[in-house]
Amino acid sequence: MSDDVGTESVIIRDVPDDHRYVIEVDGEVAGLAVYHLRGGRHFFVHTEVSPDYSGRGLGQQLVRFALNDVRSQQGVVVPICPFFAAYIRRHPEYEDLVDRQIMERIEKSRHDQGES
């Protein structure tokens, strides 16, 4: 995906060899979303945007692109990353991508271990 914002060029792409989606602004990596692919499921574990690029909505663009890409592959997501989980809660059109059984097991395990 390429999107010109003002004079900036924004490109988002999957880098499967590195298990991450990256978002670039004018050729510089501004953020990334790390995933592990297991059994056809994308386990999203970490998302970050460089402080130099914060406040521009790049994280949301990155997550939306990744979710749409997984959907196009008829895949499933496990949003372990809090940013991904929050995005999906705010955008219920992506709820159908979430593997609820695995998420329930993860949440039960966290609860059993005393995590919040």
Side-chain angles (χ1 to χ4, degrees):
M1 175 189 145
S2 180
D3 187 15
D4 290 330
V5 179
T7 59
E8 294 180 330
S9 173
V10 176
I11 297 172
I12 306 171
R13 60 190 168 88
D14 184 12
V15 184
D17 290 343
D18 292 335
H19 309 283
R20 64 190 62 204
Y21 287 86
V22 297
I23 185 165
E24 298 175 352
V25 176
D26 292 335
E28 297 291 323
V29 174
L32 54 89
V34 179
Y35 66 87
H36 301 287
L37 190 57
R38 301 279 187 273
R41 293 172 184 87
H42 284 74
F43 287 75
F44 286 97
V45 297
H46 179 71
T47 305
E48 69 180 68
V49 173
S50 169
D52 294 340
Y53 296 96
S54 66
R56 299 185 192 184
L58 296 175
Q60 291 187 48
Q61 289 181 52
L62 178 61
V63 171
R64 184 174 50 250
F65 179 90
L67 292 172
N68 287 333
D69 191 50
V70 170
R71 186 184 301 282
S72 75
Q73 299 170 39
Q74 299 177 335
V76 177
V77 299
V78 180
I80 296 170
C81 168
F83 193 81
F84 262 82
Y87 185 89
I88 292 169
R89 277 193 304 276
R90 288 190 316 273
H91 298 88
E93 64 270 25
Y94 293 107
E95 286 284 340
D96 63 311
L97 293 175
V98 177
D99 187 319
R100 285 284 153 217
Q101 286 184 320
I102 290 181
M103 288 306 298
E104 287 171 10
R105 281 191 260 162
I106 289 169
E107 290 168 14
K108 182 181 181 331
S109 175
R110 286 178 176 166
H111 176 72
D112 291 348
Q113 294 175 10
E115 295 180 24
S116 51

